Amino acid sequence: MGALDYLSNFCTVTSTRGKKKAMQTVEIKVKMDCDGCERRVKNAVKTMKGVKNLDVNRKQSRVTVTGYVDPNKVLKRVKSTGKRAEFWPYIPYNLVSYPYVAGAYDKRAPAGFVRNVTQAIPPSNATDEKITHLFSDDNPNACSIM
């Protein structure tokens, strides 16, 4: 058995192709002013290998690409058109616990969206819990005046 295992290592076929990229959706914010800008961005992205669906929304300055693509390559291709581009920085308003915290609210954001920033964790109510525990029925040392 040892000799066969040794020889089988030389006979195995290894694939030189990499793993297939996963299907994903890439959203990019691109400043587009006119039909020409929109057409340039659309033509640059739709010629990429692996693009299955392309949606350009000029009103929101948003390009959505779905397919087997690398997000960084899509961003690089959009920037090659001469437009200023970045990954979509906004999330829906209803997913944020504090939408008006500093840094989250953006006047330039589309309606219903705020910036995706880390939210401050609300302060713990540890003192309130201690006070309520003092008067709890479960606490044998609770205040008996009540």
Side-chain angles (χ1 to χ4, degrees):
M1 275 301 230
L4 290 176
D5 290 334
Y6 179 75
L7 290 175
S8 69
N9 288 338
F10 292 113
C11 296
T12 58
V13 178
T14 58
S15 176
T16 57
R17 295 175 59 187
K19 291 184 179 180
K20 188 174 181 180
K21 294 180 179 116
M23 178 82 140
Q24 58 185 333
T25 301
V26 181
E27 295 179 331
I28 298 175
K29 178 182 175 185
V30 184
K31 179 73 172 145
M32 296 176 283
D33 297 322
C34 62
D35 290 335
C37 300
E38 183 178 341
R39 188 175 58 247
R40 266 197 327 203
V41 171
K42 189 181 280 189
N43 288 338
V45 175
K46 76 178 180 182
T47 59
M48 290 182 68
K49 183 179 176 184
V51 173
K52 298 295 179 195
N53 188 16
L54 174 66
D55 181 38
V56 179
N57 187 340
R58 187 171 68 196
K59 186 175 180 182
Q60 288 187 343
S61 299
R62 182 182 199 169
V63 175
T64 306
V65 180
T66 305
Y68 302 99
V69 293
D70 181 26
N72 292 322
K73 287 183 180 178
V74 175
L75 182 65
K76 187 176 179 182
R77 180 67 67 99
V78 171
K79 284 184 177 180
S80 72
T81 63
K83 295 291 171 193
R84 198 168 137 204
E86 62 179 326
F87 288 115
W88 186 253
Y90 305 116
I91 57 174
Y93 178 85
N94 58 354
L95 296 180
V96 181
S97 55
Y98 300 107
Y100 293 106
V101 72
Y105 183 73
D106 188 359
K107 290 189 288 188
R108 293 174 296 204
F113 289 92
V114 293
R115 278 208 173 265
N116 188 9
V117 296
T118 55
Q119 295 287 312
I121 299 172
S124 172
N125 293 335
T127 56
D128 293 341
E129 291 175 13
K130 288 179 186 175
I131 292 171
T132 55
H133 184 67
L134 288 174
F135 297 102
S136 173
D137 292 334
D138 298 331
N139 184 4
N141 299 323
C143 182
S144 59
I145 298 172
M146 296 177 89

